């Protein structure tokens, strides 16, 4: 059946993709690898749910089977959730089908039988709109579209046995324990950058956050290179995207990949000892100074309000 | 074990982009090139992998004439030799074209056991070339790898998913895309830079590669490309001592209604 095919290992995101696919006014088919996810997807009302059953439980090992399904069904578009697995599968499916792939699309438009999508480039400095030719693959991150419960469509479930790639083997998995705050909902955020010399000094950021009733976030380097803070607390294009009323960057240079994640904040404050730091160009207020001196003074001043 | 091939991209440095605030037109003409940030970590990851397995690291790029500087830079980071698919189409290639070129070049190089790519490029950050290469070469792909080790002809990797770490293994040859945290990307010293300039570079032209019709044309059309505006007040508090600066900031934030 021709139409828009959607896949995500994240069920909620798959619901978002189904809602997006509905705007195409084509048939909407969800692809899953488990009966359980298949039944969970029914509430979003795709026309058809294809449950692919193979030997290998690694989702990535289904990319050949998905490409075959899309070809057999003469699909017009494959939408995948931009998760780690979704990106991998989307790229392999696109390669197998000699198709274009628009990655991490912020918005997708169906217009006069054409499909176009907008995506950020250069860490969020620029935006590019691309138009697909022929079968196109698009990945879409979480939260761009709202999932809609739709009881009016009774999904047809089609189970099929497929060949999976036996060569990759998942031998274990350990959950990442989330220790950090949910920054996406924080009203105030103090952000730790590489201007901090050592881990113990983070107490300065925590004290300021305490005075403000703020959460503490960080740049990618602090989380991934230094390992000083949990990965889910880093902000930016590859991390959390936040929109607090007040965002205070301490010792953050202000590279676009980071500031991309704070651009919807109401007020941005930068504290940096380098007058030429990029952060000042993307801040509402900037203090040129040593964070070790400024942050404690600021905490005191706020406590005294 | 045979060669470890690391693919890297020469990109325009985003810091040099000029965006016209009125029209949002983007001027790339003044932008200097650089090896895509995370590809530097990938080059080091490839060097470490081949060192542990006693094989050779080869650097590979698809780039226009502009990428010539990139080769020296890449070679100063450890690879023994480099291959360069030199074509101007690299400047506006999409993931489809790039992966076709790199896969064709890898086939021509012939002997390889591991292909290493960065997680995503600094300009497009599209996360697609690595997995595409795996699919084209019909070898296993392990993406978003944070740790890896090779034992004999088997690759053991730890991938990072949204909320779990996953242990994955596959027989070589395979493709991995690596996260920057897999290892630091040391800045090459003077000696390494000098040596890098003397290492062999093999240049391929498109016609040297075994490609099918259509492999060299983009699959998506670029409809528009413009800057994103991020306009802020940009008020710099630079007067007085630290205490005075803080007092001024608190007053301003109160006025904004955010305190
Ligand atoms: C594809 C890609 C994706 C990326 N994604 C992200 C992302 O999602 N999030 C992210 O954060 N980064 C991301 N990055 C990395 C990003 O480009 C920057 O490298 C990173 O944000 C810099 O972190 P930083 O500001 O903490 O460190 P630095 O750039 O090292 O800046 C430290 C700053 O502290 C200042 N400083 C030093 N000492 C003091 C002091 N005593 N007082 C005050 N100031 C001081 C310095 O002047 C400097 O400006 C990405 C990069 C790439 C290529």
């Amino acid at each position: 059946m021709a139409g828009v095919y959607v896949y995500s290992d994240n069920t909620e995101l798959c619901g978002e993709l189904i809602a997006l696919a509905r705007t195409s006014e084509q048939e909407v088919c969800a692809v899953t690898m488990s009966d359980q996810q298949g039944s969970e997807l029914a509430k979003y009302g795709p026309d058809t749910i294809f449950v692919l059953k193979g030997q290998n439980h690694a989702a990535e090992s289904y990319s050949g089977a998905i490409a075959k399904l899309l070809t057999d069904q003469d699909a017009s578009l494959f939408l995948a959730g931009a998760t780690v697995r979704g990106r991998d599968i989307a790229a392999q499916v696109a390669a197998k089908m000699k198709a274009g792939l628009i990655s991490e699309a912020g918005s997708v438009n169906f217009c006069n039988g054409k499909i176009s999508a907008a995506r950020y480039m250069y860490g969020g400095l620029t935006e590019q709109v691309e138009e697909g030719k022929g079968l196109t693959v698009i990945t879409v991150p979480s939260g761009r579209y709202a999932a809609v419960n739709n009881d009016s469509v009774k999904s047809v479930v089609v189970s099929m046995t497929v060949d999976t790639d036996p060569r990759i083997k998942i031998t274990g998995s350990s959950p990442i324990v989330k220790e950090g705050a949910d920054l996406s909902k924080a009203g105030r955020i103090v952000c730790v950058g590489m201007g901090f010399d050592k881990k113990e000094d983070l107490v300065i950021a925590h004290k300021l956050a305490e005075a403000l009733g703020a959460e503490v976030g960080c740049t990618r380097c602090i989380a991934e290179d230094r390992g000083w803070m949990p990965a889910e607390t880093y902000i930016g294009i590859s991390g959390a995207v936040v929109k607090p009323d007040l965002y205070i960057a301490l010792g953050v240079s202000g590279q676009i990949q980071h500031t991309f994640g704070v651009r919807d904040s109401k007020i941005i404050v930068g504290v940096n000892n380098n007058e030429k730091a990029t952060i000042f160009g993307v801040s509402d207020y900037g203090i040129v100074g040593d964070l070790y001196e400024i942050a404690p003074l600021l905490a005191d001043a706020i406590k005294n309000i | 074990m045979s060669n470890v091939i690391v693919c890297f991209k020469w990109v325009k440095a985003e810091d040099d982009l000029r965006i016209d605030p009125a029209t949002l037109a983007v001027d790339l003409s003044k932008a200097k090139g650089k090896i895509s940030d995370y590809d530097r970590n990938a080059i080091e990851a490839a060097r470490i992998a081949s060192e542990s397995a006693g094989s050779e690291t080869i650097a590979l790029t698809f780039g226009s004439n502009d990428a010539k500087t990139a080769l020296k830079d890449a070679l100063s980071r450890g690879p023994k030799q480099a291959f360069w698919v030199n074509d101007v189409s690299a400047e506006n290639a999409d993931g489809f074209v790039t992966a076709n070129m790199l896969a064709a070049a890898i086939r021509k190089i012939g002997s390889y056991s591991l292909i290493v790519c960065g997680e995503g490029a600094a300009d497009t950050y599209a996360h697609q070339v690595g997995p595409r290469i795996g699919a084209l070469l019909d070898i296993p792909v392990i993406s978003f790898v944070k740790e890896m080790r090779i034992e004999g002809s088997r690759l053991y990797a730890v991938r990072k998913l949204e909320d779990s770490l996953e242990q994955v293994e596959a027989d070589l040859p395979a493709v991995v895309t690596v996260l920057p945290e897999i290892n630091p990307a040391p800045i090459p010293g003077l000696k390494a830079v000098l040596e890098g300039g003397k290492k062999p570079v093999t240049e391929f032209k498109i016609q040297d590669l075994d490609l099918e019709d259509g492999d060299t044309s983009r699959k998506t059309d670029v409809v528009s490309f413009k800057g994103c505006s991020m306009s802020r007040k940009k008020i710099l508090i630079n007067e007085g001592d630290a205490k005075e600066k803080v007092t001024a900031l608190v007053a301003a934030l109160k006025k904004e209604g955010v305190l």
Side-chain angles (χ1 to χ4, degrees):
Chain A
M1 181 191 324
V4 178
Y5 284 66
V6 307
Y7 164 76
S8 180
D9 54 321
N10 174 327
T11 305
E12 170 83 19
L13 176 50
C14 199
E16 296 170 17
L17 300 180
I18 291 168
L20 164 61
R22 278 281 165 230
T23 65
S24 71
E25 294 174 2
Q26 299 178 44
E27 289 280 320
V28 177
C29 305
V31 180
T32 176
M33 294 124 195
S34 81
D35 286 321
Q36 195 200 327
Q37 195 191 32
S39 57
E40 287 166 11
L41 290 173
K43 68 169 181 282
Y44 300 118
D47 297 299
T48 308
I49 300 171
F50 286 96
V51 184
L52 308 186
K53 295 188 168 168
Q55 293 289 315
N56 193 336
H57 70 282
E60 291 78 1
S61 70
Y62 284 76
S63 43
I66 295 175
K68 182 168 182 308
L69 175 74
L70 300 175
T71 310
D72 291 348
Q73 301 291 332
D74 195 24
S76 64
L77 173 69
F78 178 48
L79 291 174
T83 60
V84 169
R85 290 198 200 289
R87 290 177 187 137
D88 186 324
I89 292 172
Q92 293 202 52
V93 167
K96 287 180 207 278
M97 305 194 70
K98 290 183 168 279
L101 163 55
I102 308 175
S103 317
E104 322 275 306
S107 63
V108 178
N109 279 297
F110 301 91
C111 188
N112 303 328
K114 292 219 157 126
I115 171 103
S116 66
R119 65 181 312 272
Y120 289 112
M121 304 256 288
Y122 292 99
L125 275 178
T126 67
E127 189 189 56
Q128 176 159 301
V129 177
E130 296 180 35
E131 197 173 86
K133 293 187 272 197
L135 177 118
T136 303
V137 181
I138 300 181
T139 62
V140 181
S142 278
R144 305 306 306 197
Y145 292 89
V148 181
N149 286 351
N150 183 353
D151 308 329
S152 63
V153 181
K154 196 104 197 70
S155 310
V156 177
V157 178
V158 181
S159 282
M160 49 211 294
T161 307
V162 296
D163 290 331
T164 46
D165 185 342
R167 298 172 301 183
I168 348 166
K169 193 165 145 204
I170 300 179
T171 55
S173 164
S174 45
I176 298 173
V177 185
K178 304 254 163 166
E179 309 156 60
D182 182 1
L183 295 177
S184 63
K185 297 188 182 71
R188 292 173 180 175
I189 293 174
V190 172
C191 182
V192 171
M194 295 288 274
F196 282 80
D197 291 332
K198 47 187 192 302
K199 191 175 177 186
E200 296 77 72
D201 299 345
L202 299 193
V203 64
I204 295 171
H206 285 283
K207 283 202 169 135
L208 175 57
E210 204 178 300
L212 280 164
E215 301 291 354
V216 180
C218 65
T219 60
R220 183 167 179 160
C221 311
I222 291 288
E224 301 291 14
D225 302 346
R226 293 282 154 85
W228 289 350
M229 287 184 54
E232 63 271 19
T233 59
Y234 86 74
I235 298 169
I237 194 160
S238 41
V241 174
V242 300
K243 39 180 186 310
D245 286 340
L246 178 60
Y247 164 86
I248 302 181
L250 301 175
V252 171
S253 57
Q255 309 269 60
I256 178 64
Q257 293 88 355
H258 174 74
T259 55
F260 174 87
V262 301
R263 55 167 47 153
D264 290 332
S265 307
K266 185 167 173 218
I267 295 291
I268 296 179
V269 176
V271 177
N272 198 301
N273 60 6
N274 175 2
E275 196 173 338
K276 298 213 167 61
T278 315
I279 191 74
F280 294 128
V282 292
S283 295
D284 296 291
Y285 298 94
I287 290 190
V288 182
D290 184 348
L291 73 90
Y292 285 88
E293 193 181 3
I294 302 292
L297 285 172
L298 186 55
D300 287 342
I302 286 161
K303 273 190 258 169
N304 291 332
I305 288 178
Chain B
M1 194 177 99
S2 55
N3 302 320
V4 175
I5 301 178
V6 57
C7 303
F8 70 94
K9 183 174 186 180
W10 187 243
V11 299
K12 301 267 191 222
E14 60 273 15
D15 292 346
D16 300 339
L17 259 58
R18 292 286 164 267
I19 295 169
D20 183 316
T23 64
L24 297 181
V26 184
D27 178 9
L28 286 164
S29 65
K30 308 255 165 20
K32 287 196 279 300
K34 63 171 180 181
I35 293 182
S36 177
D37 306 51
Y38 294 171
D39 291 352
R40 292 178 224 154
N41 303 80
I43 294 172
E44 177 70 359
R47 192 193 64 76
I48 294 170
S50 51
E51 199 172 81
S52 77
S55 66
E56 196 171 286
T57 318
I58 293 176
L60 168 65
T61 193
F62 168 45
S64 63
N65 271 330
D66 235 31
K68 199 160 195 136
T69 338
L71 297 158
K72 261 192 213 157
D73 185 348
L75 287 169
S76 69
R77 294 168 188 270
K80 290 283 184 297
Q81 57 169 321
F83 288 83
W84 171 27
V85 182
N86 179 2
D87 195 77
V88 61
S89 67
E91 288 178 9
N92 59 11
D94 61 357
F96 169 77
V97 172
T98 304
N100 287 338
M101 297 295 178
L102 294 173
I106 292 167
R107 278 197 209 98
K108 203 167 166 78
I109 295 168
S111 148
Y112 57 87
S113 52
L114 181 66
I115 314 291
V116 182
C117 297
E119 164 213 347
D123 52 355
T124 56
Y125 207 36
H127 317 282
Q128 54 171 296
V129 167
R132 273 184 185 268
I133 291 174
L136 292 172
L137 297 174
D138 195 20
I139 58 176
V141 176
I142 306 181
S143 57
F144 300 93
V145 167
K146 156 176 208 296
E147 281 167 44
M148 65 173 169
R149 101 192 121 81
I150 291 164
E151 271 175 35
S153 63
R154 202 148 173 88
L155 175 75
Y156 298 83
V158 178
R159 297 175 82 198
K160 187 166 166 220
L161 276 67
E162 284 72 20
D163 38 32
S164 64
L165 295 178
E166 188 170 79
Q167 284 80 43
V168 191
E169 44 181 275
D171 276 338
L172 298 173
V175 174
V176 288
T177 75
V178 298
L179 293 168
E181 56 262 33
I182 191 164
N183 47 243
I187 298 166
L190 185 60
K191 185 159 164 272
V193 171
L194 292 174
E195 277 169 13
K198 296 189 200 113
K199 291 178 182 170
V201 174
T202 308
E203 185 177 329
F204 293 144
K205 293 285 186 199
I206 284 191
Q207 50 276 19
D208 301 329
L209 301 176
D210 190 8
L211 292 162
E212 287 175 23
D213 278 355
D215 278 359
T216 56
S217 11
R218 282 186 69 99
K219 283 288 180 186
T220 62
D221 288 328
V222 176
V223 183
S224 69
F225 176 62
K226 61 179 179 31
C228 299
S229 67
M230 187 155 168
S231 61
R232 289 282 165 183
K233 298 198 175 79
K234 300 183 202 172
I235 298 169
L236 206 57
I237 303 173
N238 209 1
E239 297 292 307
D241 64 15
K243 209 158 180 171
E244 285 160 341
K245 288 182 192 169
V246 167
T247 309
L249 176 65
V250 170
L253 295 180
K254 267 198 206 148
K255 221 166 141 199
E256 294 283 359
V258 293
L259 277 188

